[in-house]
Amino acid sequence: MKLICIGRNYTEHIEELENERPTDPVVFLKPDTAILLKKQPFFIPDFSNDVHYEVEVLVKINKVGKYIDKKFAHKYYDEIGLGIDFTARDLQAKLKAKGLPWEKAKAFDGAAVIGKWLPKNEISDVNQLNFSLKKNENTVQNGNTSHMLWKIDELIECVSKYFTLKIGDVIFTGTPAGVGPVSTNDVLKGFIEDKEVFSITVK
């Protein structure tokens, strides 16, 4: 199982971090050890003083595929979820400044939250999906998949050129604007439409 993550897929998030708009999806990986175990708190790692939340819509792959055409991509997933791509922003900035990979800042243990999965057939349109993140009951991120630069099926087409997709692989599809730091005792809750799909505590 692998976690395939997409960066810079929402224009307003690109602008808030003052990044360059990409001409192709930005792709990076997290190992399965990055998954935060169920019912466990997220522990801020000792190597960072600036860990940020990034809420993202998730897709779980349900069959093996390679070089998947966009028009067939919908056949490769039947569940939609929501999660958090935790990022050690201070460490990421140092790595980016040196032109080095981001994994230390994004793929550390516990850096990937995966919430409850929802059947795709219960969602009217995956390309018009509302999602949000609350921190301590205050909404900090609001997104809709219609604002993605590359939609879910386009992402599957893209990443399957480089990586064979296998059953259970998860694609993190990018975060909207509103990312920010977490502190000890914060409570983060994620919602797809008005349904709560995860709740975690920061330690």
Side-chain angles (χ1 to χ4, degrees):
M1 176 196 180
K2 56 188 174 290
L3 309 179
I4 302 169
C5 305
I6 307 300
R8 304 180 190 175
N9 200 22
Y10 288 82
T11 301
E12 290 182 357
H13 175 59
I14 295 170
E15 293 172 351
E16 75 176 343
L17 294 187
E18 299 180 349
N19 286 323
E20 181 180 344
R21 179 170 173 152
T23 55
D24 295 293
V26 174
V27 180
F28 60 96
L29 301 178
K30 295 186 188 233
D32 58 3
T33 50
I35 297 172
L36 185 67
L37 298 178
K38 299 296 184 185
K39 299 182 179 179
Q40 293 294 310
F42 171 74
F43 289 93
I44 297 174
D46 59 8
F47 52 76
S48 176
N49 295 311
D50 191 25
V51 174
H52 283 204
Y53 54 78
E54 299 185 9
V55 74
E56 310 199 6
V57 170
L58 311 182
V59 178
K60 185 193 290 185
I61 300 300
N62 64 3
K63 62 180 180 179
V64 176
K66 176 73 173 174
Y67 288 107
I68 301 166
D69 191 284
K70 180 177 68 174
K71 65 186 176 184
F72 299 120
H74 67 279
K75 298 182 178 181
Y76 287 81
Y77 64 101
D78 51 25
E79 291 180 290
I80 297 290
L82 195 71
I84 296 177
D85 165 21
F86 278 117
T87 304
R89 193 72 70 201
D90 48 356
L91 179 56
Q92 184 190 36
K94 292 176 183 177
L95 294 167
K96 286 169 64 177
K98 296 178 180 179
L100 296 173
W102 300 349
E103 274 73 10
K104 288 180 182 177
K106 280 187 168 282
F108 56 87
D109 290 355
V113 173
I114 296 178
K116 297 175 185 175
W117 293 100
L118 304 179
K120 184 174 68 172
N121 60 17
E122 293 182 4
I123 296 169
S124 57
D125 185 354
V126 297
N127 293 317
Q128 292 283 345
L129 188 65
N130 291 304
F131 61 100
S132 61
L133 181 72
K134 288 185 177 181
K135 184 173 81 166
N136 305 327
E137 300 303 324
N138 297 311
T139 300
V140 288
Q141 284 188 277
N142 260 317
N144 186 288
T145 52
S146 65
H147 297 148
M148 288 179 173
L149 297 179
W150 291 276
K151 302 299 189 287
I152 290 173
D153 291 356
E154 293 173 307
L155 293 175
I156 290 174
E157 179 181 59
C158 172
V159 298
S160 68
K161 293 177 184 177
Y162 304 96
F163 315 110
T164 297
L165 296 180
K166 303 179 84 171
I167 296 169
D169 286 353
V170 175
I171 299 176
F172 281 63
T173 61
T175 194
V179 303
V182 295
S183 302
T184 302
N185 297 321
D186 281 347
V187 176
L188 303 173
K189 295 182 179 181
F191 297 83
I192 292 179
E193 299 295 347
D194 57 357
K195 183 179 180 64
E196 182 181 313
V197 290
F198 67 75
S199 177
I200 63 166
T201 302
V202 178
K203 296 292 187 182

